[in-house]
Amino acid sequence: MKLTVNLGADSYPIYIENHILEHALTYISKIFSGKRIMIISDDQVYPRYGSALKANLEAQYECFHLELPHGETTKNFKTLPVLYSAMLDAGISRSDLVIALGGGVIGDLAGFAAASYLRGVKLAQIPTSLLAQVDSSVGGKVAVDLPQGKNLVGAFYQPSLVLIDPSVLDTLDTRFVNDGMGEVIKYGCIKDRELFDLLASYSSFEDLKPRLAEIIGRCVDIKRCVVEKDQFDTGERMLLNFGHTLAHAIEQFHHYERESHGEAVSIGMYQISLLAEQENLTRPGTADQILKVLDIYGLPHSCGIPLTELTEAMTRDKKNLNNKLNLILLNEIGVSRIYPASVDFFHSDRIV
């Protein structure tokens, strides 16, 4: 499957195909005619896929790699000098290419390094987690975390190419498959009732797996359409953040060491829908429908944190515009909207 994100001069192709990673050179050579490539990956992904990718590309390019510790705690400001130094040592110039090979952490971190090094070098995304394949590798959001919150330093920097190989997901731990399913469910919630019902019709991820490439394609296509309408996240693109205002606060509360991103998003989608139902802002029963699908894919709906302890982080959320907390609420499954609110929306003695 080939999709194209149409953004004028910043347009780029997305290829989705099992085992496409084995033929990376064919696709990289279509968008890159320079000399040097820096592959940025982590210590779980590179040993599995990096050496083969590098060997494949060395038929035409001079290749270097940097292997970072895995996990969200790597995606911080202090890691950036490590990336810049590696690129300088490799002689990477503005006519060269950075490849982000990994999950969302590597995609965000390597993407931000590519955007800022020498004021921008060409970037290719090769996502290896389900979450990165359906969401973070597409759309050009790149960032690092600060102690005060997630993704608070970043940029919009579109890749030149995205290669999505669903077959690499066979090696993922169950938790990280589930993690990605949190974002898949999000797409059904905000834009695609038919996708949501399809997810609800299976009994587990293993049951769903034969249709995984198709489902990834549906999610990516939704994101492609939204990004084309709102590249810089000031309007419709904010719908992609359903559940995220609460999720980012939950992740930060435990210093990114307990709930994964997809788990936190799952909690956020369910809990915010419950709150919205109580205020008659969402159709009754919506949260219960979300809960049933979360249960199918082994995702949590609560985390045991008092809501009042999460509000400070929410006030620093990037989606705040004009002193309003721009929440994403569902009218019903498949239909979402932006709801400007104050943090008072979350003033409750509830434990989420």
Side-chain angles (χ1 to χ4, degrees):
M1 176 188 296
K2 179 185 178 183
L3 299 168
T4 301
V5 181
N6 293 301
L7 295 171
D10 292 326
S11 298
Y12 54 95
I14 302 165
Y15 297 94
I16 305 169
E17 183 182 316
N18 283 319
H19 307 292
I20 200 171
L21 188 55
E22 297 167 16
H23 310 287
L25 177 60
T26 300
Y27 298 92
I28 294 292
S29 62
K30 290 179 181 180
I31 58 96
F32 177 57
S33 58
K35 293 181 179 179
R36 296 184 183 89
I37 294 175
M38 170 62 76
I39 301 168
I40 298 173
S41 190
D42 69 34
D43 56 9
Q44 290 186 333
V45 173
Y46 192 83
R48 191 165 273 143
Y49 302 112
S51 295
L53 173 64
K54 188 177 178 184
N56 182 246
L57 296 175
E58 282 179 333
Q60 187 167 330
Y61 304 106
E62 187 178 357
C63 294
F64 305 85
H65 77 277
L66 176 64
E67 193 175 316
L68 297 166
H70 67 277
E72 186 74 32
T73 52
T74 292
K75 201 180 87 175
N76 67 69
F77 212 75
K78 294 178 182 178
T79 306
L80 286 172
V82 177
L83 276 72
Y84 298 141
S85 293
M87 288 191 277
L88 284 167
D89 290 345
I92 299 297
S93 71
R94 292 186 70 184
S95 59
D96 293 323
L97 174 71
V98 169
I99 294 178
L101 174 70
V105 167
I106 290 297
D108 279 2
L109 181 61
F112 185 73
S116 50
Y117 176 80
L118 302 179
R119 296 195 177 97
V121 296
K122 192 181 287 281
L123 170 69
Q125 292 275 7
I126 304 181
T128 59
S129 71
L130 179 56
L131 189 150
Q133 290 187 354
V134 300
D135 192 71
S136 60
S137 65
V138 176
K141 280 188 176 181
V142 295
V144 294
D145 302 335
L146 295 180
Q148 295 90 338
K150 185 166 178 172
N151 296 335
L152 291 180
V153 176
F156 291 95
Y157 193 69
Q158 301 297 338
S160 298
L161 169 73
V162 181
L163 285 184
I164 296 175
D165 185 344
S167 65
V168 305
L169 304 179
D170 291 341
T171 60
L172 277 185
D173 290 342
T174 300
R175 183 183 181 192
F176 292 104
V177 169
N178 296 349
D179 179 59
M181 286 305 297
E183 291 283 357
V184 173
I185 294 164
K186 176 199 76 178
Y187 281 104
C189 286
I190 63 169
K191 282 281 186 181
D192 192 339
R193 176 73 203 224
E194 186 179 325
L195 173 60
F196 186 89
D197 290 341
L198 178 66
L199 298 173
S201 71
Y202 290 94
S203 61
S204 65
F205 179 78
E206 284 303 313
D207 192 22
L208 170 85
K209 203 170 181 180
R211 298 188 68 174
L212 186 57
E214 172 198 342
I215 287 167
I216 291 170
R218 287 176 74 159
C219 295
V220 170
D221 199 35
I222 292 170
K223 183 157 191 181
R224 175 189 67 82
C225 291
V226 170
V227 168
E228 286 176 353
K229 293 176 183 175
D230 177 22
Q231 184 177 352
F232 298 110
D233 203 15
T234 57
E236 184 173 350
R237 185 167 178 171
M238 285 194 282
L239 297 177
L240 299 173
N241 293 313
F242 176 51
H244 285 56
T245 297
L246 194 52
H248 287 170
I250 291 167
E251 289 179 88
Q252 185 195 348
F253 188 85
H254 289 293
H255 308 290
Y256 310 105
E257 293 174 349
R258 199 176 82 168
E259 283 82 9
S260 68
H261 180 67
E263 290 167 345
V265 167
S266 300
I267 297 165
M269 291 189 296
Y270 173 72
Q271 294 291 343
I272 203 165
S273 295
L274 270 184
L275 288 167
E277 283 184 41
Q278 292 169 9
E279 299 296 326
N280 297 314
L281 297 169
T282 291
R283 175 174 286 186
T286 298
D288 190 53
Q289 293 177 71
I290 294 171
L291 177 60
K292 288 176 182 175
V293 177
L294 295 180
D295 285 345
I296 290 170
Y297 297 100
L299 287 159
H301 64 277
S302 62
C303 58
I305 304 172
L307 195 54
T308 52
E309 295 195 27
L310 299 174
T311 54
E312 183 181 350
M314 285 187 258
T315 62
R316 291 192 294 268
D317 195 280
K318 304 179 304 304
K319 292 169 288 300
N320 297 350
L321 294 173
N322 300 319
N323 297 315
K324 288 290 185 182
L325 194 62
N326 285 285
L327 305 178
I328 309 306
L329 303 182
L330 303 184
N331 294 343
E332 58 186 56
I333 298 294
V335 183
S336 54
R337 71 187 190 280
I338 301 167
Y339 180 76
S342 73
V343 76
D344 292 339
F345 182 91
F346 293 100
H347 280 170
S348 166
D349 57 2
R350 290 183 60 236
I351 295 177
V352 298

